[in-house]
Amino acid sequence: QLQAMHERGHSRPRMWAQYAENHGGACIVLDKRALTSAFEALGASLSLNVLSGPIDYKNTPVASKLEIGPLMADMNDVRHFGLEEAARRHSLRFWRELFLIKNTDWSAEREFRWLLQGTHTGDVFVDIRSCIKGVLVGPSFPGHLLRKTRRYATEADTAIARMNWKNGIPQIRPMILLASGKWVDS
């Protein structure tokens, strides 16, 4: 069930303005547990480490200290292990600092990330089809794209709704198919 709750990313108007073409895009609502399982299955099949966690929003110093840390590698490791292995070890040691920190300016987002780490060199595809809980379209979503979006939602057996705000309060209006074949907001 799609819900309009302020703590959910899809109910934040700034996110729609910034990431969804100023309320003209769409948001795919995913099940976090199912998505974690999809990453773990892919990681296991490709012998990759799956790392994940919420973003930590904090301001980091402009100039890093001259000591080994996320932005300073140990050249002794490079000489001893070689560049690739030293980089792998460094990224495993400092993965949180390298991939899970963003400036406090982004703190309203409450982002969560999954990372795949290993020696696989080809493209990877995380199958999210079983993770999709619904599709939300913005109030300015282009009408000519609605047919494709509705068809996808129908094929995926998932809910489709329109996101809007009334007096600043998030509103989700399920879209229903009329006998005429036209989709309307409920």
Side-chain angles (χ1 to χ4, degrees):
Q1 180 78 25
L2 297 173
Q3 301 171 359
M5 299 180 343
H6 292 288
E7 66 271 9
R8 293 184 179 258
H10 61 61
S11 295
R12 296 167 175 251
R14 186 188 60 77
M15 299 290 280
W16 282 86
Q18 187 168 332
Y19 295 113
E21 302 292 328
N22 203 20
H23 302 267
C27 173
I28 299 172
V29 180
L30 301 167
D31 179 307
K32 185 177 175 182
R33 286 189 188 117
L35 189 55
T36 297
S37 294
F39 270 96
E40 288 171 352
L42 178 64
S45 72
L46 298 174
S47 298
L48 298 171
N49 295 316
V50 179
L51 309 169
S52 64
I55 293 296
D56 185 12
Y57 299 94
K58 62 183 179 182
N59 295 327
T60 55
V62 175
S64 63
K65 301 173 189 171
L66 291 176
E67 60 186 42
I68 302 303
L71 303 178
M72 182 79 66
D74 186 341
M75 291 308 293
N76 290 324
D77 283 352
V78 174
R79 280 191 287 278
H80 185 263
F81 300 111
L83 181 60
E84 190 172 315
E85 177 62 14
R88 186 190 73 75
R89 288 170 175 259
H90 185 82
S91 69
L92 278 174
R93 181 177 175 192
F94 295 107
W95 70 274
R96 289 186 186 279
E97 295 90 340
L98 290 168
F99 302 110
L100 298 183
I101 293 178
K102 285 177 81 172
N103 188 282
T104 56
D105 284 356
W106 304 100
S107 62
E109 294 183 355
R110 289 188 271 167
E111 184 178 344
F112 191 94
R113 290 185 182 171
W114 289 264
L115 309 162
L116 295 170
Q117 189 274 340
T119 59
H120 181 78
T121 57
D123 293 338
V124 295
F125 175 77
V126 179
D127 187 352
I128 66 168
R129 289 176 291 189
S130 65
C131 308
I132 298 173
K133 302 295 277 181
V135 177
L136 292 171
V137 297
S140 302
F141 191 76
H144 70 280
L145 295 177
L146 198 51
R147 176 174 287 168
K148 285 183 180 181
T149 306
R150 290 187 308 251
R151 185 176 18 188
Y152 172 78
T154 301
E155 289 171 4
D157 193 29
T158 191
I160 183 170
R162 187 174 306 274
M163 188 73 213
N164 215 331
W165 291 265
K166 185 174 185 177
N167 294 327
I169 300 169
Q171 309 286 314
I172 294 178
R173 302 246 187 256
M175 299 186 79
I176 54 175
L177 180 62
L178 300 177
S180 65
K182 181 179 179 182
W183 285 80
V184 296
D185 298 0
S186 64

